[in-house]
Amino acid sequence: NCIVCWFTLKMARERSPALWLHPQTNVTHKMPVCHRILLLLWLLHFSSVHSDITDGNAEHLKREHSLIKPYQGVGTSPSSQWDFWGSTLVTSQYVRLTPDERSKQGSIWNTVPCYLKDWEMHVQFKIHGSGKKNLHGDGFAIWYTKDRLHTGTVFGSSANFLGLAMFIDTYPNDEAPDRSFPYISAMVNNGSLPYDHGKDGRSTELGGCSVEVRNKDHDTYLAIRYSKGRLTIMIDVDDRNDWKECIDFGGVRLPTGYYFGASAATGDLSDNHDIISMKMYQLMVEHTPEEDNQDWTKIEPSVSLLKSPKDNIDDPTGNFRSTPLTGWKVFLLLLCALLGIVVCAVVGAVVFQKRQERNKRFY
């Protein structure tokens, strides 16, 4: 009991410091211990869910890496922080990477290299056009790469890149029946493996999810978080102000000093690919002295895989099959453990009482 209580309270304290107020200001200090533990388990669940994605604290917003209306600092002047190429059109309301026309490519890139070790990028986007189901394309990508403004065949950018790429692919080139489109995937590359556009990047993806994002009447968002070697991609596309996990993968190593960007392309089919905003937040994370002393600019992009990326195959519903413990699962696991300990304690008390009564008969 003591070990489980101590572990539960320790986790709650780490995740929710606000719960640990001075006893005179904390309404929980007069509660029974069991009630306090259940309350902390409940709060632990919510704090674990809501701590996955930053609340958008303006103090941690890095404006030099953010693209925000009315898009000041976008252009080709030496003082510009964002540069664009191809069919990209910058207006006061959106940055259109491609219009709803055939054979267009466009991109926009941050000119300032990012030296943050832990970060989170929020992207508000809109994909819309006149094409009907499966008659639109091709999609867009968010990049964190060593080189910028390198054109190519992968959503308007280079296939042999160094760094991280996140793809929103709206057209199935492979036409395999086991996944639906649009499809979000991620890839880490050291330049040795090209993204296979003909196979929709299946052989090199870390994971992915199917999500309907076209022609929405409301805002659509995605968030990319990199912290302590873990890459997490969340989406909010249902107008519920609720993040849903798409990809969560550990063992990811990314260097600092790379560039953020976005690119899109159309082929025989087309869509409008609009970026409304890209907001970069610095995550305040402690690192070991060894990590702080390391030259992060010399890190090679890599992933410590327990299995080949080829095994990252979806089920027919479009869900990535290898999913981590969610907040609800952690809560239920801890609750079951607590209930099991309570049951064992009750059974032990009954057995002890019966032994005491049996011993009294001998006196």
Side-chain angles (χ1 to χ4, degrees), residues 284-310:
M284 310 308 293
V285 177
E286 292 185 1
H287 289 271
T288 64
E290 292 78 10
E291 291 173 333
D292 287 331
N293 294 330
Q294 183 179 8
D295 187 354
W296 286 57
T297 62
K298 300 294 196 250
I299 294 176
E300 183 180 68
S302 62
V303 181
S304 301
L305 292 173
L306 297 178
K307 58 180 180 178
S308 169
K310 296 180 181 180

Side-chain angles (χ1 to χ4, degrees), residues 201-257:
R202 286 172 176 267
S203 61
T204 53
E205 69 176 34
L206 296 180
C209 64
S210 298
V211 57
E212 188 55 55
V213 295
R214 287 190 72 251
N215 290 335
K216 296 289 187 179
D217 295 329
H218 51 264
D219 297 334
T220 49
Y221 301 87
L222 64 89
I224 308 168
R225 162 180 281 214
Y226 177 70
S227 181
K228 302 284 285 187
R230 192 163 202 89
L231 176 68
T232 306
I233 296 179
M234 309 283 282
I235 56 174
D236 179 7
V237 298
D238 297 323
D239 198 25
R240 297 178 180 176
N241 194 27
D242 180 32
W243 292 108
K244 293 183 179 179
E245 185 178 285
C246 176
I247 299 172
D248 185 53
F249 212 94
V252 177
R253 289 176 56 82
L254 295 175
T256 59

Side-chain angles (χ1 to χ4, degrees), residues 114-144:
C114 179
Y115 291 98
L116 301 178
K117 299 175 182 177
D118 303 89
W119 48 264
E120 185 168 302
M121 173 72 80
H122 290 195
V123 181
Q124 182 182 354
F125 65 95
K126 188 175 182 65
I127 303 176
H128 57 107
S130 58
K132 303 300 181 181
K133 183 175 176 62
N134 293 332
L135 294 177
H136 49 79
D138 282 329
F140 77 94
I142 303 295
W143 305 89
Y144 176 66

Side-chain angles (χ1 to χ4, degrees), residues 67 73-75 80-85 97 106-112 141-151 156-158 161 164 258-263 278:
L67 183 66
V74 177
S80 298
Q81 294 179 337
W82 292 84
D83 196 4
F84 59 92
W85 168 87
L97 301 175
S107 64
I108 188 165
W109 287 87
N110 192 198
T111 62
V112 182
I142 303 295
W143 305 89
Y144 176 66
T145 58
K146 181 178 181 179
D147 301 308
R148 61 186 189 89
L149 288 174
H150 278 206
T151 60
S157 195
S158 175
F161 61 94
L164 167 69
Y258 281 16
Y259 297 92
F260 284 98
S263 68
M278 297 174 65

